Amino acid sequence: MYHAIVFLPLIGFLIAGLFGRLIGARGSEIVTTSLLMVSAALSWVALTQVGFGSGTTRVQVASWISSGELQVDWAFRVDTLTAVMLVVVNTVSSLVHLYSIGYMHEDEHRSRFFAYLSLFTFAMLMLVTADNLVQMFFGWEGVGLASYLLIGFWYQKPSANAAAMKAFIVNRVGDFGFLLGIFLIFVLFGAVTFDAIFPRAGEMVSQSFRFLGYDWNALTLTCLLLFMGAMGKSAQFLLHTWLPDAMEGPTPVSALIHAATMVTAGVFMVARLSPVFEYAPVALTVVVVIGATTAFFAATVGLVQNDIKRVIAYSTCSQLGYMFVALGVGNYGAGIFHLFTHAFFKALLFLGAGSVIHAMHHEQDMRHMGGLRKHIPLTAAAMTIGTLALTGFPGFAGYFSKDAVIESAYASVAHGGLASSYAFVLLVVAAGMTSFYSWRLYFMTFEGAPRWGHGHDAHGHGHDDHAHAADGHDDHGHGHDHTPHESPWTMLVPLAVLSLGAIVAGYAFKEAFIGHDFEHFWKSALFMGKDNHILHAMHEVPKWVVWSPFVAMVIGFALAWYMYVRRPEIPGKLAAANPALYQFLLNKWYFDELYDFLFVRPAKWLGRFLWKKGDGLVIDGFGPDGVSARVVDVTNRVVRLQTGYLYHYAFAMLIGVAGLVTWYLVARG
């Protein structure tokens, strides 16, 4: 069964990728989507068997690497954490495949698109089923490759190519740290398999390692390097800049990246290595601080974005911060719980946004929307459910998981000190801002007077994503009816399924992730030290802590309603009255400009200098015809020594041996 779960998407990729022209776009859609649905169904079966039954299972696939002490098999580690991730990845991916049949129905390169989607899914499955760090790194780089291919799918657009390169390069920065962490684990443990690492992690608590001229606690250094990889893959503060630009890809890609695959890889990795991180409290403190900072930072930027997909993208960045805070305070179950529920409502929001964009003929600027609830009521209902889940309305999925993270942050103040207090305050503030920008998106899109019929054509002006002429879509030519229209059933069915998940996933699984069934459900998949009592402490926080995210959510909703329904002129006046703050947030705290100044421009200057001065002036320009011409002349003369006669080569070897013997005798005196 596990072989089928992992390899069915790979088979779909190979069929669509190699034989797409032969079977056609429709055949590629049917094959890849059908195989993903089978894989998703088997994943739910696996969850019932593993989570509520057999525990950890190791499935051998093949021998892989054997080099000295390094012994690596290709094997699946199947436990509850694996099964949860299999459900998340395959369920969301299968629905994204189905949704893409409707969303991409006019793109002439659909076979390639569906092949890439299946490749993305396979790479993520390789990551979450990894039995060792080398196999995990294979999947880790695989999702990086697939994200590059999908973000830049519309390669005719320079902005799409730039966004794909940005995602790839920024992730290489994080992956450098991840690789160093893997190397250090091999140095310390002499192995990279989890079964060999986890039982011995406690023995390394006092071990030191010299790095960059300083003596570090070995486990602290290891976890910090590994977390550097997680910061890149899960778009945490400082390595977050690639995530919003990833919106240049088709909307189904955004849903897959942001809900189930690439950005959750870092969260999964830290949870998987909980037996190591648990013995590195300093590293966990760094995880808490970075996570809380990310949650706050991304929420502030989301307040002022006008592109419907970018608002949701910054929401993803913020929610990932919540997950890392939970992991950092030692509540690994709460972190994975929020990953689990977030997959449903964030995929719902992205696919709902895609339905809006489809209805608006590829318009993405919310300033050119409004009043759409009457035209696309089913999409509006789905977006309402997703918004309620994201903002933590009682009863919906986000209410159970996000509130659990906030309560865990407060419960850890006793031993986490200033970092936990910092995290608690920022998470509550971020919850209020999340509510504000989420309802702002809803009100600007679905309520109020229509703004798409006042001097704007169907494609609008000023939006920065997928005008049909740029992205290959030419379905809505001029002269057609541009009234917004509801999406086809292939797009609405995934919205309905995800809506159900956004409603029930929290309540149905809360006991398993953070309640009385935790020990029985997780068994040994997540490790918590004997002094880690966060699971008990989070249920005993004061009532005002429990109510704080709800109050923040209500305040955010009330402000959004007042500013975008009751008094829609206020936002413009506020922006005009505070231009510096508005531009600071609109330009994402100027991180792109800062990195451009610190890294991009110097790199370009160095490359241009080596090109003009090194290559052009020295290599091509020095002397009569340049250094390269002289090298060619010398090479031509040397080549003449190669006669092809065996006795010439034997004579040269004898001369060499004689010279070596003479030198040896003289040197020995």
Side-chain angles (χ1 to χ4, degrees):
M1 179 174 68
Y2 299 112
H3 290 81
I5 292 173
V6 174
F7 290 115
L8 285 178
L10 177 63
I11 294 171
F13 159 69
L14 293 174
I15 293 174
L18 298 177
F19 308 106
R21 291 186 179 181
L22 183 65
I23 64 177
R26 176 60 68 185
S28 298
E29 293 171 349
I30 292 173
V31 168
T32 54
T33 304
S34 300
L35 292 176
L36 252 298
M37 288 186 171
V38 173
S39 187
L42 293 175
S43 298
W44 282 98
V45 174
L47 180 63
T48 59
Q49 290 184 352
V50 177
F52 299 99
S54 60
T56 303
T57 304
R58 187 177 186 274
V59 181
Q60 178 82 8
V61 178
S63 297
W64 189 11
I65 299 173
S66 179
S67 177
E69 294 183 11
L70 181 62
Q71 303 293 322
V72 180
D73 289 333
W74 187 0
F76 303 147
R77 181 184 179 88
V78 182
D79 55 16
T80 307
L81 181 58
T82 306
V84 168
M85 294 302 297
L86 290 177
V87 165
V88 168
V89 173
N90 283 323
T91 301
V92 173
S93 182
S94 62
L95 293 174
V96 166
H97 275 71
L98 178 60
Y99 179 94
S100 299
I101 294 175
Y103 190 84
M104 302 291 290
H105 70 286
E106 276 125 1
D107 196 291
E108 60 183 6
H109 303 295
R110 296 197 301 283
S111 294
R112 177 165 59 89
F113 180 77
F114 279 84
Y116 289 169
L117 283 182
S118 291
L119 174 64
F120 203 166
T121 307
F122 168 71
M124 189 66 188
L125 294 176
M126 286 299 300
L127 193 158
V128 301
T129 58
D131 177 64
N132 56 78
L133 286 166
V134 175
Q135 184 180 330
M136 179 181 284
F137 189 74
F138 171 80
W140 193 271
E141 294 304 296
V143 294
L145 168 65
S147 69
Y148 173 80
L149 296 173
L150 285 167
I151 295 170
F153 179 75
W154 287 319
Y155 57 85
Q156 303 93 338
K157 293 177 59 182
S159 59
N161 290 326
M165 290 176 61
K166 187 176 183 180
F168 198 79
I169 293 169
V170 172
N171 271 276
R172 297 293 73 71
V173 177
D175 292 353
F176 177 69
F178 188 45
L179 263 180
L180 290 179
I182 294 174
F183 296 158
L184 185 52
I185 278 189
F186 182 70
V187 169
L188 295 174
F189 294 91
V192 292
T193 57
F194 299 137
D195 286 339
I197 296 168
F198 294 165
R200 297 178 52 205
E203 303 171 8
M204 301 291 176
V205 172
S206 58
Q207 184 83 16
S208 63
F209 187 83
R210 192 161 185 82
F211 181 67
L212 299 177
Y214 295 93
D215 289 324
W216 299 69
N217 178 276
L219 287 185
T220 297
L221 178 60
T222 301
C223 292
L224 287 175
L225 290 171
L226 293 171
F227 180 60
M228 183 176 171
M231 287 175 63
K233 199 65 72 182
S234 294
Q236 292 300 282
F237 188 69
L238 301 179
L239 293 180
H240 65 277
T241 53
W242 68 269
L243 190 63
D245 290 354
M247 298 301 96
E248 289 292 339
T251 298
V253 173
S254 304
L256 194 56
I257 290 177
H258 287 245
T261 55
M262 188 160 165
V263 296
T264 62
V267 179
F268 166 80
M269 184 267 287
V270 175
R272 169 62 78 206
L273 293 172
S274 56
V276 180
F277 275 85
E278 191 74 352
Y279 291 107
V282 175
L284 288 177
T285 300
V286 173
V287 174
V288 170
V289 172
I290 293 293
T293 305
T294 305
F296 176 80
F297 154 75
T300 63
V301 178
L303 296 174
V304 298
Q305 298 301 306
N306 295 310
D307 184 301
I308 188 170
K309 286 171 64 177
R310 286 180 183 267
V311 175
I312 305 173
Y314 277 106
S315 169
T316 297
C317 195
S318 183
Q319 297 307 305
L320 288 165
Y322 278 83
M323 299 174 203
F324 278 111
V325 168
L327 298 175
V329 299
N331 197 343
Y332 306 103
I336 298 299
F337 188 26
H338 197 45
L339 183 157
F340 181 76
T341 61
H342 176 264
F344 290 101
F345 61 73
K346 188 51 59 69
L348 174 61
L349 286 170
F350 264 115
L351 297 186
S355 185
V356 171
I357 295 166
H358 184 270
M360 293 297 295
H361 313 291
H362 303 283
E363 171 64 79
Q364 295 187 200
D365 194 326
M366 297 186 297
R367 294 171 295 185
H368 301 157
M369 297 181 186
L372 291 178
R373 179 167 53 85
K374 297 177 182 177
H375 299 276
I376 47 174
L378 297 178
T379 299
M383 290 290 282
T384 303
I385 293 171
T387 302
L388 289 169
L390 171 61
T391 57
F393 190 82
F396 288 78
Y399 167 75
F400 296 99
S401 60
K402 188 163 74 171
D403 286 21
V405 175
I406 294 174
E407 291 164 14
S408 298
Y410 182 86
S412 68
V413 169
H415 67 271
L418 188 61
S420 295
S421 302
Y422 172 83
F424 171 72
V425 172
L426 261 60
L427 293 187
V428 173
V429 173
M433 291 190 288
T434 300
S435 179
F436 176 84
Y437 67 65
S438 298
W439 288 110
R440 171 181 177 265
L441 181 152
Y442 180 85
F443 293 140
M444 289 182 70
T445 304
F446 295 103
E447 303 297 333
R451 295 181 297 278
W452 37 269
H454 298 283
H456 298 285
D457 63 18
H459 300 285
H461 297 286
H463 66 287
D464 58 2
D465 280 310
H466 311 310
H468 77 292
D471 67 7
H473 292 274
D474 57 2
D475 49 325
H476 304 294
H478 297 287
H480 287 70
D481 179 18
H482 291 306
T483 302
H485 54 88
E486 191 62 273
S487 299
W489 72 267
T490 51
M491 295 171 65
L492 293 177
V493 168
L495 293 182
V497 175
L498 291 169
S499 296
L500 180 64
I503 294 172
V504 306
Y507 181 80
F509 287 90
K510 64 183 178 69
E511 293 299 328
F513 282 89
I514 56 172
H516 299 296
D517 296 335
F518 180 86
E519 292 291 340
H520 172 64
F521 184 72
W522 288 101
K523 303 176 181 69
S524 59
L526 296 176
F527 177 78
M528 301 176 74
K530 63 180 185 300
D531 297 325
N532 186 343
H533 306 295
I534 189 69
L535 201 61
H536 175 73
M538 65 170 286
H539 294 293
E540 297 186 348
V541 297
K543 288 294 183 184
W544 68 269
V545 174
V546 177
W547 282 93
S548 59
F550 176 79
V551 172
M553 180 265 293
V554 171
I555 293 173
F557 168 81
L559 283 174
W561 176 83
Y562 183 74
M563 295 172 64
Y564 291 94
V565 177
R566 185 76 175 83
R567 299 282 302 279
E569 73 279 2
I570 287 181
K573 293 180 179 179
L574 278 176
N578 303 277
L581 177 60
Y582 178 72
Q583 290 298 322
F584 179 71
L585 298 180
L586 190 64
N587 288 283
K588 303 158 286 190
W589 291 27
Y590 292 103
F591 268 103
D592 284 320
E593 290 78 3
L594 178 64
Y595 287 172
D596 183 69
F597 176 77
L598 292 177
F599 304 115
V600 178
R601 291 184 188 178
K604 287 184 175 179
W605 177 87
L606 179 61
R608 194 175 294 110
F609 174 81
L610 294 174
W611 167 38
K612 294 288 188 182
K613 304 299 183 183
D615 193 31
L617 182 62
V618 177
I619 296 178
D620 292 334
F622 188 75
D625 298 310
V627 173
S628 57
R630 301 285 71 78
V631 171
V632 170
D633 291 341
V634 173
T635 303
N636 286 334
R637 292 189 179 95
V638 172
V639 165
R640 293 175 185 172
L641 297 175
Q642 302 233 1
T643 63
Y645 293 112
L646 182 62
Y647 58 84
H648 286 170
Y649 301 149
F651 178 72
M653 292 173 64
L654 286 173
I655 294 296
V657 170
L660 181 63
V661 170
T662 302
W663 173 84
Y664 180 77
L665 292 174
V666 171
R668 293 294 297 266

